[in-house]
């Protein structure tokens, strides 16, 4: 219960502070700083399931906070959420025309693989701390877009349901599972560098889950994106 209260209050305070200070790169840093101590402690204790679950919950709380804050102060959100406006413009163009990388496997796949590769490297090198900042940045601009979609749609209730794509949810789950596995790997590498024997084996199950969900993200997106575009167009009106 204490962890839940900490996450709820922390997400509210970090989002509010980011909007007040108005420094773009401060927002993903503050956002990531809230769950990371909990995540790191759980991974260090080999409580991987707990680390995974708390990070999933944090992702939901962070999304709600950013969507609400963007709805309340859209102009400030546009200034502090990096890539928020450009991503929203890109998504609206795709919804209205069907053109763009979102609906083309050959166009979106390189970007997906690049993001996942960067995330994996940051997980190992920084014990997932910088990777969490990177992930928070992506999560924030997605939520900025969702808030804008709901606001401008003729059917806001439908836009709220459709705004978070199913493949994006799969990607987040995959990234979190990967972060758990590679943070543990990073800790093992630190132990070896110090000449110590690693205290725990590499949690390959979470790595396999991570890779599996990232692959599922790609497959589901390739299949559903054209259908989702038409549904979103109906919601937008």
């Amino acid at each position: 219960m204490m962890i839940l209260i900490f996450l709820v209050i922390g997400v509210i305070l970090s989002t509010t502070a980011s909007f007040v200070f108005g420094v773009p790169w401060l927002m993903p840093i503050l956002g990531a700083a809230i769950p990371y101590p909990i995540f790191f402690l759980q991974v260090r204790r080999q409580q991987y399931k707990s680390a995974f679950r708390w990070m999933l919950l944090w992702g939901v709380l962070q999304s709600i906070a950013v969507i609400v804050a963007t709805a309340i102060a859209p102009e400030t959100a546009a200034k502090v959420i990096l890539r928020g406006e450009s991503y929203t413009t890109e998504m609206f163009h795709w919804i209205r025309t069907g053109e763009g990388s979102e609906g083309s496997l050959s166009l979106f796949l390189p970007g997906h693989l690049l993001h996942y590769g960067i995330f994996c490297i940051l997980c190992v090198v920084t014990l997932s701390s910088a990777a969490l900042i990177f992930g928070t940045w992506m999560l924030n601009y997605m939520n900025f877009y969702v808030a804008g979609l709901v606001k401008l749609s003729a059917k806001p209730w439908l836009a709220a349901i459709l705004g978070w794509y199913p493949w994006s949810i799969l990607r987040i789950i995959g990234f979190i599972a990967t972060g758990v596995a590679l943070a543990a790997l990073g800790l093992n590498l630190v132990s070896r560098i110090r000449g110590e024997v690693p205290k725990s084996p590499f949690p390959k199950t979470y790595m396999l889950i991570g890779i599996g969900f990232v692959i599922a993200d790609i497959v589901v997106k390739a299949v559903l994106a054209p259908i989702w575009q038409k549904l979103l167009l109906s919601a937008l009106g």
Side-chain angles (χ1 to χ4, degrees):
M1 181 60 70
M2 289 301 296
I3 294 178
L4 175 60
I5 294 172
F6 173 81
L7 287 176
V8 171
I9 295 176
V11 164
I12 293 173
L13 291 179
S14 67
T15 304
T16 302
S18 299
F19 273 56
V20 170
F21 292 133
V23 180
W25 268 111
L26 188 62
M27 187 164 187
I29 292 173
L30 287 179
I34 298 303
Y36 185 73
I38 298 167
F39 168 82
F40 180 77
L41 185 61
Q42 299 293 337
V43 171
R44 191 172 183 180
R45 291 176 174 174
Q46 302 171 40
Q47 296 174 345
Y48 304 126
K49 183 182 292 186
S50 180
F52 178 74
R53 289 177 175 176
W54 284 122
M55 288 305 300
L56 282 178
L57 176 60
W58 166 81
V60 173
L61 295 173
Q62 177 74 7
S63 295
I64 293 172
V66 172
I67 289 172
V68 171
T70 301
I72 294 173
E75 293 183 1
T76 303
K79 294 177 182 178
V80 300
I81 299 179
L82 292 168
R83 203 174 174 244
E85 285 191 306
S86 62
Y87 181 75
T88 300
T89 299
E90 179 183 331
M91 288 299 98
F92 271 74
H93 177 73
W94 169 65
I95 293 170
R96 288 176 173 137
T97 67
E99 301 172 351
S101 62
E102 199 69 11
S104 171
L105 176 63
S106 61
L107 292 178
F108 76 68
L109 184 58
H112 275 40
L113 295 178
L114 177 62
H115 284 167
Y116 189 59
I118 292 172
F119 183 83
C120 288
I121 293 171
L122 291 176
C123 282
V124 177
V125 174
T126 70
L127 305 180
S128 290
S129 58
L132 183 53
I133 295 173
F134 181 65
T136 303
W137 165 63
M138 291 190 289
L139 185 65
N140 287 346
Y141 69 66
M142 178 68 185
N143 286 310
F144 178 93
Y145 151 70
V146 172
L149 178 68
V150 172
K151 180 180 180 180
L152 296 177
S153 292
K155 302 173 183 176
W157 61 271
L158 183 58
I161 295 172
L162 298 173
W164 257 101
Y165 311 144
W167 55 87
S168 296
I169 295 173
L170 292 174
R171 188 184 317 157
I172 289 173
I173 296 172
F175 272 51
I176 291 175
T178 299
V180 170
L182 294 184
L185 176 62
L187 284 171
N188 286 347
L189 291 175
V190 170
S191 295
R192 291 187 182 280
I193 291 172
R194 292 176 175 176
E196 303 171 356
V197 177
K199 297 180 180 179
S200 61
F202 173 61
K204 61 182 179 181
T205 299
Y206 281 89
M207 192 69 219
L208 292 174
I209 291 173
I211 294 172
F213 270 88
V214 169
I215 292 174
D217 154 39
I218 294 169
V219 174
V220 171
K221 184 173 184 177
V223 174
L224 286 186
I227 300 171
W228 222 255
Q229 180 258 332
K230 292 180 175 59
L231 293 173
L232 287 166
L233 185 60
S234 173
L236 194 58

